[in-house]
Amino acid sequence: FIKSDGTLWGWGYSSFGQLGNTNMTNPIPFQLSTDTDWHKTFAGVANAFFIKTNGTLWGMGNSEFGLLGNGSTTQVNPTLQQIGTATNWQKISASSDMTIGIKTDGTIWGWGQNDQYEMGNNTCCANQLTPIQIGTANHWVDIETSLGASIFALKNDGTLWGWGLNLAGLLADNTVMARSIPTQLNADTDWASIHVGAAHILALKTNGTLWAWG
């Protein structure tokens, strides 16, 4: 978590270095960095990502498959490191297989495993070790990943899109076939927010109704 003074704190499991050490347990909150310009935090399965007030992206922890986007597949990374040089990161959603990020310019980026078309560029199956843009659209407003290899995103026109692994029918098309590029899930244009579990999804519409599938 981030305090009002901009300092970064954490506790819990850290054997992959996601809290800056390799302890199995960290039972009380402790400061992770002396910097005072932290803005947002995002927890992965065994790693963590942080955005500073200047829009730069940082991470530590497990980078198997390239999960950290630092060009490496080293699993234990207990030191904070900047990911790329971009200064306009907005949100990160990380799974056990890949990591997806959205920038303030409305573009989506991905890195990590690509064995189920997680990178959304119709290629398979080499790991992506650094962030690459997914598609060319620049009007995405939100992103969510499943625990594994499914990705969902909302556009500013209220449409819902998905790609990657179609476990349990997550991509809402009555099949279990993977989708290699971002694919619109239905014709509705009133989706407001999405929340994804391991193999199901909950979605809110602008009229306040709640929908689920998977």
Side-chain angles (χ1 to χ4, degrees), residues 8 13 63 73 90 100 139 147 154 164 179 185:
L8 181 64
Y13 180 75
S63 193
T73 57
Q90 178 178 333
I100 302 296
H139 49 295
L147 179 64
L154 284 174
R179 291 291 177 267
L185 301 192

Side-chain angles (χ1 to χ4, degrees), residues 13 21 38 43 45 52 56 75-76 84 87 118 124 129 132 134 136 142 149 160 168 178 203 205:
Y13 180 75
N21 60 43
W38 298 106
V45 175
K52 287 192 170 188
T56 57
Q75 288 187 297
V76 179
T87 58
E118 293 97 318
C124 176
L129 304 186
I132 59 168
I134 295 174
T136 59
D142 200 9
L160 178 60
K205 287 194 170 186

Side-chain angles (χ1 to χ4, degrees), residues 92-202:
I92 300 297
S93 185
S95 78
S96 61
D97 297 271
M98 81 293 175
T99 307
I100 302 296
I102 188 170
K103 291 183 176 181
T104 57
D105 63 3
T107 58
I108 291 181
W109 298 69
W111 56 97
Q113 198 166 26
N114 194 34
D115 62 336
Q116 296 290 337
Y117 301 100
E118 293 97 318
M119 296 302 102
N121 58 6
N122 203 31
T123 66
C124 176
C125 294
N127 295 336
Q128 178 62 42
L129 304 186
T130 56
I132 59 168
Q133 187 174 348
I134 295 174
T136 59
N138 61 359
H139 49 295
W140 301 103
V141 294
D142 200 9
I143 51 171
E144 284 279 323
T145 63
S146 69
L147 179 64
S150 306
I151 305 96
F152 300 87
L154 284 174
K155 286 187 176 181
N156 62 3
D157 59 5
T159 57
L160 178 60
W161 299 67
W163 63 96
L165 183 66
N166 197 8
L167 177 68
L170 268 173
L171 298 186
D173 58 4
N174 291 318
T175 77
V176 291
M177 296 174 58
R179 291 291 177 267
S180 60
I181 59 173
T183 303
Q184 190 171 346
L185 301 192
N186 68 7
D188 296 351
T189 59
D190 56 350
W191 297 107
S193 65
I194 46 178
H195 307 275
V196 185
H200 75 287
I201 182 171
L202 301 174

